[in-house]
Amino acid sequence: MNYDLLAEIREALASGDEGLLCERLSAVLPADLADAIKRLGEEDRGAILRVLADDAAGALLQEMGKRDAAAMVRLLPPERARRILGDMAADEAADLLRDLPDEAADALLAGMKAEDAEEVRELLEYPENTAGGRMATDFMPVSPAKRVSEVIEDLRAHPPAPEMAYYLYVCDEAGRLAGVVSLRDLIAAAPDTRIAEIMTRDVIRVAVDADQREAAELVARYDLLALPVVDAQERMLGVITADAVLEVLEETATEEILHVSSGAEEQRDRPLSPLQVRLRRATTAVAAGLAGAAILAAYRQTFQVSLDYLLFIPLVLVVSEVVTGQVMASIRGAIRHDPSLARLGKAIGRELLSTALVVAAAGALIAWLLGDWQQLQPTGTVLGAAVFLVGIAAGIVGGGLPILSFLLRHDPSAVSGSVTAAVANTLSLATYLWVVVAIG
């Protein structure tokens, strides 16, 4: 934060001289002004908007967070707000209108040019957290039959936006995505070359209804500067730019930090109150406790065999929680990296194999310690076998629940850790007592 700039702006505002304020703001970059204006009150924000030209106000709104930008729009006279929104890119205008009340958004759309309003309405039809909700639609499709010289002339006549200038997307007559040409390849090709001869046909793309994080992961994995968005018929609808991806990654990182630091484990799209969070956790704990009590009651005969086995229940639960947490974290990472079923199958197989090797070694060590050191060889053998099976059961729960959540189209990272631990502990306790009764 540039505090010297903030002090200058406050000084100009305090003077009440709009000419001085306009002069101070003229040399300030939109991103710096957006950072400073967050620290000003509503009255000062309104004063700044009054002296900014429409294009400067639009640039400022695009640099601000969505909620802050929506609050700024409410300070504008309706006619000026419609004018500024009409000059903005459709995707930026749609992002801003999503954070306004429906009535206010509809009123602004009604006053915009029909063509601009229709383009924004189409984008508003897509959920904000999908590729369609993040895409820009002002791309220039290129015919594969055109020559390089013709395309260059088209670019000169209709220069694309800076963020759209990296790739040209080749579409057939039906609008289906057929290939992509980088600006570098276009410039390096001979003028008479057909676009079909230089285009790359294997194009990384994303479905319009795909989650925004899937789009961000594709851009990061393949080092793309932009990502085409297509519908079910492979018709190109828009482009997700690097700027949009950065916003997604920033929002996701912020959500993850808040999610972890607050201990909130519920779905992000349906936030719960603190009381609801505590009730959910308490219910989970009570349910797990009752399930554990029912299991202990079912295996009463175990304690008539030997009290030694009861002493090791805490050890079994610790093994269960450690294995569940490790496998769960690994599978969540695998889903974020590559959510294909083939890769997930390999990931869960790898985790279960690693878990089996570790808990087998731990079980063998426990059996040896109790047998040779404490002269409790039968107890050691039973406990060693139980630790092995408990670890496998916990690994299945820890890996299975995130995958199940993903298959049901929920966010795997929002799977409740407390619920997963309760399920794993209950299953582990049942497994342990079954082993004790079976071979103890």
Side-chain angles (χ1 to χ4, degrees):
M1 173 61 205
N2 187 338
Y3 289 99
D4 290 337
L5 171 63
L6 180 60
E8 290 179 5
I9 293 175
R10 282 177 169 159
E11 181 182 348
L13 286 165
S15 70
D17 186 343
E18 290 192 352
L20 175 62
L21 178 61
C22 186
E23 180 184 347
R24 291 284 173 86
L25 297 179
S26 62
V28 180
L29 295 175
D32 293 332
L33 182 55
D35 194 25
I37 208 170
K38 290 187 296 186
R39 292 162 172 78
L40 299 176
E42 182 175 305
E43 184 177 346
D44 289 339
R45 293 184 181 193
I48 288 175
L49 283 175
R50 283 196 297 272
V51 302
L52 288 177
D54 287 352
D55 57 344
L60 170 63
L61 293 175
Q62 292 180 53
E63 291 294 339
M64 300 181 71
K66 295 175 186 175
R67 292 183 181 178
D68 287 335
M72 291 283 283
V73 169
R74 296 190 189 99
L75 302 177
L76 292 168
E79 182 59 36
R80 190 180 182 211
R82 287 192 286 266
R83 214 168 48 238
I84 292 173
L85 286 172
D87 291 337
M88 293 172 66
D91 58 312
E92 295 285 354
D95 286 343
L96 196 153
L97 289 173
R98 282 192 179 97
D99 284 301
L100 289 176
D102 291 342
E103 292 182 1
D106 290 340
L108 290 173
L109 284 169
M112 292 170 60
K113 294 179 182 178
E115 183 180 352
D116 294 337
E118 181 60 27
E119 191 174 359
V120 173
R121 284 194 179 97
E122 289 178 0
L123 288 173
L124 289 173
E125 291 295 322
Y126 300 107
E128 185 179 7
N129 60 350
T130 64
R134 289 289 186 174
M135 69 181 179
T137 56
D138 54 346
F139 67 96
M140 187 179 75
V142 177
S143 168
K146 277 197 170 184
R147 299 185 185 277
V148 167
S149 57
E150 294 174 320
V151 174
I152 291 177
E153 286 300 321
D154 290 341
L155 290 173
R156 287 172 179 163
H158 306 285
E163 64 271 17
M164 294 289 188
Y166 303 110
Y167 305 114
L168 298 175
Y169 296 98
V170 186
C171 300
D172 62 18
E173 294 179 354
R176 292 186 294 265
L177 181 61
V180 63
V181 177
S182 69
L183 192 60
R184 175 186 176 280
D185 291 341
L186 183 73
I187 295 173
D192 290 337
T193 306
R194 300 280 184 187
I195 293 297
E197 298 175 36
I198 62 172
M199 72 181 187
T200 300
R201 299 179 185 274
D202 186 14
V203 185
I204 305 298
R205 65 197 75 191
V206 68
V208 68
D209 58 351
D211 188 275
Q212 60 181 1
R213 281 168 294 190
E214 180 182 340
E217 288 166 3
L218 287 172
V219 170
R221 187 184 313 160
Y222 297 105
D223 295 326
L224 302 175
L225 297 172
L227 178 68
V229 181
V230 298
D231 64 11
Q233 287 74 43
E234 295 296 317
R235 291 174 299 197
M236 188 165 173
L237 302 177
V239 177
I240 295 180
T241 64
D243 288 343
V245 169
L246 288 175
E247 289 179 8
V248 172
L249 295 176
E250 181 180 357
E251 291 170 7
T252 302
T254 302
E255 289 175 358
E256 292 291 346
I257 291 170
L258 294 175
H259 183 66
V260 172
S261 63
S262 67
E265 296 168 333
E266 42 283 342
Q267 295 286 351
R268 294 188 183 93
D269 56 347
R270 299 182 64 184
L272 302 179
S273 69
L275 177 59
Q276 289 174 309
V277 172
R278 287 173 172 81
L279 287 174
R280 173 176 287 189
R281 291 178 178 173
T283 301
T284 301
V286 169
L290 292 175
I295 292 170
L296 291 174
Y299 286 94
R300 269 193 209 120
Q301 65 268 36
T302 301
F303 310 124
Q304 298 171 4
V305 176
S306 175
L307 184 61
D308 294 337
Y309 296 123
L310 182 61
L311 301 177
F312 292 103
I313 287 179
L315 171 64
V316 169
L317 297 180
V318 168
V319 170
S320 171
E321 291 189 6
V322 169
V323 171
T324 301
Q326 291 178 341
V327 174
M328 191 175 184
S330 179
I331 295 302
R332 281 175 172 172
I335 292 173
R336 286 195 297 268
H337 179 70
D338 187 350
S340 66
L341 293 180
R343 290 296 181 93
L344 291 181
K346 291 181 180 179
I348 190 67
R350 183 172 59 251
E351 286 302 315
L352 290 179
L353 177 59
S354 301
T355 298
L357 292 175
V358 171
V359 294
L365 178 62
I366 290 171
W368 176 78
L369 286 174
L370 291 179
D372 288 358
W373 182 39
Q374 295 292 327
Q375 306 303 313
L376 296 172
Q377 189 168 2
T379 302
T381 301
V382 172
L383 186 59
V387 165
F388 175 77
L389 293 176
V390 163
I392 297 299
I396 292 173
V397 173
L401 289 186
I403 291 178
L404 178 62
S405 176
F406 171 74
L407 294 176
L408 294 176
R409 297 186 177 276
H410 294 298
D411 181 6
S413 65
V415 174
S416 173
S418 58
V419 171
T420 304
V423 172
N425 285 345
T426 303
L427 180 60
S428 298
L429 183 59
T431 301
Y432 175 61
L433 295 178
W434 175 81
V435 172
V436 169
V437 169
I439 63 175

